[in-house]
Amino acid sequence: MVRVTEDLVRRRAEHNNCEIFSLEEITLHQQEIEKIEYLDKWCRDLKILYLQNNLIPKIENVSKLKKLEYLNLALNNIERIENLEGCEELQKLDLTANFIGELSSIEVLKHNMHLKELFLMGNPCTEFEGYRQFVVATLHQLKCLDSKEIERSERIQALQNYAEIKKKIREQEQAYCLRRAREKEEVVQKIQERQKKKKDKPNPGFDRRWYTDINNTIPDPLQDKENQQHTEEENEYRQWGADEDNEEDRAFWEEPTLYTPESRLETHRYIEEKRRAKEDLRGHKKKEKPPRTLITTEGKVLNINEPKLHFSLKDDEENNQFILDLAVYRHMDTSLIDVDVQPTYIRVMVKGKPFQLVLPAEVKPDSSSSKRSQTTGHLVINMPKAKDIIMANRKAPASAKPSDSNKSQTNTRRRQQVEQLEVDPNKYSFPDVANIVQEKERTGKGPIRLQQHKAIEPEKSFTDSVDGEDVPPLI
C-alpha cells in the first residue's frame, strides 16, 4: 500500500521550492496511492489537486481545503460521492472512470455553491435511465455536465419530471447494490482459491540457492561432475519456473473477470508481485564485483581510469610543477569528486569510480591545489615538484661551498657592470688645463723630456739687474 508521505509531497512541490505550507497546486497522479491523507493538514492553501489514475476507494481528508477549486479523481476506485461539503470554493470536480453506482450521493454537492463543472463519464451510474435529468435537476448551480453545457430548457424540463426520475433512479440503485454485493462475494472466493493453489504448488526439489566459491578461479577436474550436476539442477529449476510462470500468467489473463474495484486492485497487486519476483531473481543472478585493485601487494601503484575521462598531464618547468587537467562531467556536482595527492601518484574519485595516475617525479602534496572550471567543468590540479628527490643507491656529488660560489658570482657581476663617477659642477670649480702650456711644433724624434725649472736667487737678480727708465720703482 502506497501512502502519501511528506517526502513525496515535497518532491512534487519543486515548483514551490519544496515548500508545502504555501503550496497551491500539486500533482500526485499514477503513484498507486490507496488513501488520501495528510493533505488537509500540510497544504491548507491548495487550489488544484490532481489524484487521477490511483487506487483510491473513498473521498476523504479533503473537507478542510477551503480554497480548493479543482479536484481530479479520475481513474480510481471510488463508489460514492462524499466528504466534499467543506470545499467551499470547489468549481470543478472530475470523477471520470470510477465505480460510482449510488447516483443519489451527488446530493451532497448541493453545499458546493460554486460548482460549475462535473464529470461522471465511465461510471456505472451513467447507464441509469434518466441519469442526466436527475443530475441537472438536483444541482441547480451546475453549468456543464460531462463536457456538455446545460441549457435552460433542459433544466426546466428536468425539474418538471423530477419526482418520476428520482423514483426510477432509486429503483436502479437498489438493483445495482444487490449486484455489487454478489460481485464482491465472487471476487473474494476467487482470491481465496488462487491463494490456495499457490500454497499447494509442487516443488521440484531445488531450494533456489546457488553455492559459489568466488575465490576459486582455477577449475578442479575432480569437481567437474559435481559442477555439471549443479548446473543441470539450476537449468531445470529455471526452465520449470519459466514454464510455471507462463502457465500462471496465461491462466490469470485469460480468465474472464468483471471490471470492479476488487478486480482492478487484484490486477495491480498481481503485476506488482511479478515485478518483485523478477527483481529478486535478478538479484540472485548478479554477482558482487571484487574491489578494484589500486595498489598491488608488492606496493606498485597502478594507472586506472575507471570513469573513462579524458585527461592531460603537463610538466610546467618554469614554475617547477605538474598540471593535471581532468575532463570531469560539466553538470556533475563538485561534492561527488574527491582528490587525493600523494608524493608519487594522484587519485581522484569521481562518483565512487577511481582515476589514478603515477607521476613522473615526486611532488609536494601539502602545497598542491585543485580548481574546477565553471564553464567547462574540468578539474585542474597543480602539484609543485619536490626539491629533494631521494634516489636509491646513489651518492650526491660534492658541491662547492655556498660562500665561495656567492663570492665568485658577485665578482663576475661587478666586472660586467661599468662604474661611473658623477661630480656636481656647482659644488666644485676646476681650472682650464687646456691652455696652460702652449703647443709648439716639434720636429725632433724621440720621447719628450721635460726640463727642470731653475730657481732664481733673489740676491743675484737684484745686483745684476739694471733699472729701466720706463719701469716704475718698486715700493
Side-chain angles (χ1 to χ4, degrees), residues 122-139:
N123 286 276
C125 64
T126 58
E127 300 177 1
F128 293 173
E129 183 180 355
Y131 147 73
R132 185 174 177 85
Q133 292 86 346
F134 177 78
V135 176
V136 171
T138 304
L139 304 177

Side-chain angles (χ1 to χ4, degrees), residues 465-473:
S465 63
V466 179
D467 294 335
E469 297 177 357
D470 298 331
V471 179

Side-chain angles (χ1 to χ4, degrees), residues 420-434:
Q420 295 180 355
L421 180 61
E422 295 182 359
V423 180
D424 189 359
N426 297 325
K427 295 183 179 180
Y428 304 95
S429 60
F430 295 92
D432 188 7
V433 297

Side-chain angles (χ1 to χ4, degrees), residues 207-235:
D207 60 355
R208 299 192 181 190
R209 291 180 293 178
W210 296 279
Y211 302 95
T212 306
D213 186 6
I214 61 175
N215 296 321
N216 187 9
T217 57
I218 302 175
D220 188 357
L222 299 177
Q223 295 182 354
D224 287 344
K225 293 183 180 180
E226 184 179 354
N227 293 337
Q228 185 178 1
Q229 183 180 0
H230 184 68
T231 305
E232 290 177 357
E233 289 180 356
E234 290 183 10
N235 294 334

